[in-house]
Amino acid sequence: MQESWTLTLPSSEKPTSEELKKVLRENQKDLGIFLSYYFRKEGAHTEKVDLASDINFQDEISGDFELEFDLIHYNACLAIHDQKRESMKITFEIEGVNMNLKGPYWPEREMDEI
């Protein structure tokens, strides 16, 4: 499983690191949804997403950064409410006014044979 998400940039010009940081701050809720896809099988979701590292450009239109977030497991029936701080490395590629984010690849286990 590898999740992806697209954010809109304010202009089609090559953005600076500070402009990308601003876009990430403005889209914290969307980033929380994006990261929650990785933990949905555990019954968890993510909140309070923040940039945890500098934005590293590999070239003019791509690079990576690390996001830090609260991972929350909640189930009222089982009296579970667990919260911890986690982080995840995200890669990005800029295409015009879109910033395409891609999370890490997590292989999924196939069904066992009987």
Side-chain angles (χ1 to χ4, degrees):
M1 156 179 81
Q2 185 171 32
E3 302 294 337
S4 61
W5 197 267
T6 301
L7 298 176
T8 304
L9 299 171
S11 71
S12 60
E13 296 179 18
K14 179 187 172 281
T16 64
S17 182
E18 290 303 315
E19 290 171 334
L20 291 182
K21 287 178 185 179
K22 182 180 178 199
V23 168
L24 293 173
R25 275 193 306 272
E26 291 172 350
N27 291 284
Q28 280 185 328
K29 189 174 278 192
D30 283 356
L31 292 171
I33 295 168
F34 165 56
L35 294 172
S36 290
Y37 284 131
Y38 279 96
F39 302 99
R40 68 178 174 244
K41 288 186 179 180
E42 297 176 22
H45 69 278
T46 61
E47 292 180 351
K48 299 178 185 172
V49 180
D50 294 313
L51 189 63
S53 70
D54 290 331
I55 296 177
N56 305 312
F57 283 94
Q58 293 175 347
D59 55 35
E60 290 187 2
I61 61 166
S62 65
D64 60 52
F65 53 83
E66 195 162 319
L67 292 177
E68 192 174 60
F69 52 90
D70 286 344
L71 180 62
I72 301 168
H73 291 85
Y74 181 78
N75 186 319
C77 296
L78 299 175
I80 297 171
H81 189 121
D82 184 32
Q83 180 174 334
K84 61 183 174 180
R85 201 75 176 153
E86 292 282 335
S87 64
M88 185 179 290
K89 187 174 183 177
I90 306 295
T91 58
F92 69 89
E93 187 173 303
I94 298 169
E95 294 178 351
V97 295
N98 292 328
M99 180 167 73
N100 300 318
L101 305 177
K102 194 178 288 185
Y105 174 71
W106 286 3
E108 292 185 68
R109 182 177 174 180
E110 298 295 323
M111 289 181 57
D112 292 336
E113 291 185 28
I114 296 178

